[in-house]
Amino acid sequence: MARLGAWIEPHPHGIYVPAADAWIDPSRPSPRALITHGHADHARGGHGAVWATPETLAIMETRYGPQAGNPVGYGETIRMGEVDIGFVPAGHVLGSAQIVLEHAGERVVVSGDYKRRPDPSCARFEPVPCDIFITEATFGLPVFRHPDTGSEIDKALAALHANPDRCVLIGAYALGKAQRLICELRGRGHADPIYIHGALQRLCDLYVALGVELGELRPATDTPKAELAGHIVLAPPGALNDRWSRRLPDPITAMASGWMRVRQRARQRNVELPLVISDHADWDELTETIRELAPREVWVTHGREDALVHWCETRQIKARALELVGYEDEDD
């Protein structure tokens, strides 16, 4: 009797599905690639052909130029070789998807990166019961329990209102986090213009073109210092402490990331206002998702694999770490 998932081949540079002759999120150019989402550690350029959601393909084209893309909408099923393949919302960023593979009487779900909390900038995670759940574990330690998002947004707004002569400069990853923050701010009643670093412009424009309302955005570069006082400025994390930020009006430096739970990381970046806002599942969400899906096996692609594998094994769920390479923690 063949072992469960014998038709799935994990390799250090990606997951290969021979019966479909396709790779999932390969870290090197591949003839046929199934892509979970548009972050650069999962979606690379140079593939022969790409299958992804329309939004992910648009993100890849914005970053890498024209793609040999095959769009697959949420809820749509395609046949590749001997495998039925579907894309289901992962709740990570716009267009992010879990890839559902069905073959030989088994269902395998590859989560990609995911979160369970609502996000006004993307479709919410949809649970799919399966035989094997291939999951991330970026925040796969019990210490990582993310606070309420609204409370973190309120911290930024309170700092802004208490310091009208300063700006609040928030570091946010250019794809997903920046647009989510804008939407969350709007949802908390912040209707003022939000100023953005030039590196965020293209992807913010793309989100708007794809139907995500962001409100009034203005370029921060070349805007007079006095005009920025009393406003929120968004920039990629690398710009928080470089020459670009020195022209801002006494900025309150913030960063939105799940890693802001770790005080040392906040200190390393000279962050005055850490905002624990993550686009990844925390420990409770990782474990509750496994309980909900009730898979026979759990495979962990990257992150804090050992703790999640141990948690599974103590509950009589067979688990293994795949130790894929090339997936970064980013500045989530």
Side-chain angles (χ1 to χ4, degrees), residues 238-270:
L240 291 183
N241 298 301
D242 70 6
R243 291 176 56 189
W244 182 88
S245 66
R246 295 173 195 166
R247 51 177 303 281
L248 302 177
D250 190 18
I252 299 168
T253 303
M255 183 164 169
S257 168
W259 296 112
M260 290 297 98
R261 172 67 76 189
V262 182
R263 293 180 181 178
Q264 184 179 1
R265 291 219 182 188
R267 287 196 296 267
Q268 286 172 345
R269 291 184 175 271
N270 298 315

Side-chain angles (χ1 to χ4, degrees), residues 32 36 44 50 82 87 98 120-121 127 151 155-156 187 195-196 228 232 297 311:
R32 291 153 60 90
T36 60
R44 292 168 167 83
V50 175
E82 302 171 4
F87 286 68
Q98 306 167 77
S121 68
S151 299
K155 289 181 185 178
Y195 290 82
I196 62 173
L228 295 171
I232 289 175
E297 291 188 18
W311 181 91

Side-chain angles (χ1 to χ4, degrees), residues 1-320:
M1 183 176 179
R3 63 177 173 81
L4 188 65
W7 49 281
I8 303 287
E9 296 182 3
H11 295 262
H13 57 280
I15 296 170
Y16 182 55
V17 186
D21 190 23
W23 291 83
I24 298 175
D25 289 353
S27 60
R28 60 178 67 165
S30 301
R32 291 153 60 90
L34 307 171
I35 304 299
T36 60
H37 68 282
H39 279 146
D41 57 336
H42 291 255
R44 292 168 167 83
H47 300 307
V50 175
W51 285 260
T53 64
E55 296 87 354
T56 293
L57 288 174
I59 289 165
M60 292 180 69
E61 289 179 354
T62 298
R63 291 184 142 182
Y64 306 127
Q67 302 289 307
N70 301 276
V72 184
Y74 290 140
E76 183 180 348
T77 300
I78 61 171
R79 181 84 172 175
M80 294 183 67
E82 302 171 4
V83 184
D84 289 324
I85 301 171
F87 286 68
V88 176
H92 180 55
V93 298
L94 184 65
S96 62
Q98 306 167 77
I99 296 178
V100 181
L101 308 167
E102 298 196 62
H103 175 65
E106 299 172 0
R107 177 186 290 162
V108 176
V109 173
V110 183
S111 75
D113 291 336
Y114 77 96
K115 67 174 178 291
R116 299 301 303 264
R117 301 184 185 212
D119 176 342
S121 68
C122 70
R124 192 165 185 174
F125 179 96
E126 292 184 10
V128 179
C130 53
D131 297 295
I132 299 176
F133 186 48
I134 303 180
T135 178
E136 63 140 319
T138 300
F139 291 107
L141 290 173
V143 68
F144 291 115
R145 289 183 164 93
H146 305 325
D148 174 69
T149 302
S151 299
E152 297 299 287
I153 294 294
D154 287 346
K155 289 181 185 178
L157 292 174
L160 182 70
H161 298 150
N163 299 274
D165 297 329
R166 305 175 68 183
C167 71
V168 175
L169 171 62
I170 306 177
Y173 194 67
L175 170 58
K177 183 62 63 63
Q179 296 79 21
R180 180 188 177 194
L181 279 178
I182 294 167
C183 290
E184 299 281 7
L185 286 162
R186 302 305 190 200
R188 304 301 278 190
H190 185 72
D192 293 349
I194 294 174
Y195 290 82
I196 62 173
H197 186 285
L200 308 183
Q201 189 70 57
R202 281 194 309 162
L203 287 169
C204 284
D205 290 345
L206 179 62
Y207 265 61
V208 171
L210 293 174
V212 180
E213 294 291 336
L214 299 179
E216 184 179 358
L217 304 180
R218 295 179 183 176
T221 305
D222 298 328
T223 298
K225 178 182 288 192
E227 187 177 323
L228 295 171
H231 287 283
I232 289 175
V233 180
L234 296 185
L240 291 183
N241 298 301
D242 70 6
R243 291 176 56 189
W244 182 88
S245 66
R246 295 173 195 166
R247 51 177 303 281
L248 302 177
D250 190 18
I252 299 168
T253 303
M255 183 164 169
S257 168
W259 296 112
M260 290 297 98
R261 172 67 76 189
V262 182
R263 293 180 181 178
Q264 184 179 1
R265 291 219 182 188
R267 287 196 296 267
Q268 286 172 345
R269 291 184 175 271
N270 298 315
V271 170
E272 182 179 348
L273 181 64
L275 303 173
V276 185
I277 300 174
S278 176
D279 284 330
H280 292 265
D282 67 6
W283 174 256
D284 290 335
E285 292 163 343
L286 289 168
T287 55
E288 286 300 323
T289 298
I290 292 170
R291 283 195 181 100
E292 181 179 6
L293 303 187
R296 294 160 62 190
E297 291 188 18
V298 173
W299 299 0
V300 186
T301 56
H302 64 287
R304 322 283 79 77
E305 301 106 317
D306 291 347
L308 192 59
V309 167
H310 176 73
W311 181 91
C312 290
E313 291 175 340
T314 60
R315 286 152 182 83
Q316 289 72 54
I317 302 169
K318 188 174 180 180
R320 59 187 286 206

